[in-house]
Structure formats: structure tokens, C-alpha cells
Amino acid sequence: MRYATAIFEIAKENNDLAGLETGINDLAAALGESADLRDLIASPLISRAEQESAISAVADKMDLHAILRNTLALMAQKRRLFVVPQLVQVLRNMLADERGEVTADVASAKALTKTQLEKLSKTLSERVGKTVTINATVDESLIGGLVVKVGSKMIDSSIRSKLNSLQNAMKEVG
């Protein structure tokens, strides 16, 4: 994503990756909490000028990083505000990568204990060669086991997937 790369490079040149991260986290929190803000970035009914003045006002009120503020205004002018959630995610990934970290999305049938999370994080860190932060979610439809996604790699050891493959094998036999 061009916007993310430009924002990241400018913040890096200015030795302000920490400030950028704070701004991204604030923006992500605001998107999570405000239906009005989500409507603002997604609605095709709001004119470019209205989107730009509204997002600039929000950025000023939140005291967002100047790079973010300017980029959001530019994105409004170009009718690209709807990609802000992806922008936030890409920037978070770039910042984590810069620190030698990676996030693993882990889905399990039941909530994992702190010990299980620590063991999984350690095992994944050894495999990936980076510090792994785990984003854990519960998906009761898995029945048991785990679905782990690190970057573009996915490991599905869930009982649901094993049952599905067994069911497919039985169809081929019958």
C-alpha cells in the first residue's frame, strides 16, 4: 500500500516511529469506538470536501501525527478513506517488522491459558526467527485444536479440519 509505505518512510527518516505508532493506535481505537467515524470513511454519500474537512477536524481533535493527518486529508480528496482500516493494519505490520516482531493470529476452541500462550509464542518465535506476539481468538466451531496464521502461512490442526478431510476421503471411497 503506497500510503503506508510513504507514511512509514517519512516517520522513519524523522526518527519518529514511536509517535507514528501512538497515532495509529489512537486512530484504530477511534475507528473501533465510533460508528460515526466508520460511516464517515465508508459513506459514498459524503462529498470529498466534507470528508476532508471532517477527517481533518477529527485528526486535529485527536492530535494525530502530522504525517497521518496530511495523509488522511489526501485520502479524502482521492476518495480512498474507506481503506483506512487496512492502512492501520499495514502500518502496524511494518512497525512490528522493523522491531523484528510478527503477529500470529491463533484461533482455538477454548481460551488458551497464559502458560499455553507463552509456550506457543516461544515455539513460533523459534520457527519464525522473530519475536511472535499472539492475537488469540476463540472459535467454538473448531471443536478442538488450533488454527495458527503467521503472515501468509497457516497451520490448521483443528479437529474440524481433520473431520472435513476425513469426510472428503470417505466420499472418494464411497
Side-chain angles (χ1 to χ4, degrees), residues 119-134:
K119 275 186 178 174
L120 183 59
S121 179
K122 187 172 184 258
T123 304
L124 290 171
S125 293
E126 289 167 2
R127 277 228 177 128
V128 178
K130 292 183 176 186
T131 304
V132 175
T133 306
I134 293 181

Side-chain angles (χ1 to χ4, degrees), residues 5 19 28 33 40 51 62 68 71 92 101 113 115 121 131 136 156:
T5 306
E33 294 165 9
L40 169 71
Q51 269 189 332
M62 290 175 62
L68 277 176
T71 303
R92 280 185 166 161
E101 297 173 359
T113 65
T115 307
S121 179
T131 304
D156 189 343

Side-chain angles (χ1 to χ4, degrees), residues 93 102-105 128 147-156:
N93 292 344
V102 68
T103 300
D105 293 314
V128 178
V147 176
V148 179
K149 187 171 186 259
V150 181
S152 61
K153 291 188 170 115
M154 185 165 141
I155 305 161
D156 189 343

Side-chain angles (χ1 to χ4, degrees), residues 17 20 24 27 36 45-46 49 53 82 96 104 106 123 138 166 173:
L17 291 177
L20 175 62
I24 291 167
L27 184 57
D36 289 341
L45 304 175
I46 302 171
S53 67
F82 66 92
V106 177
T123 304
V138 174
L166 181 62
V173 171

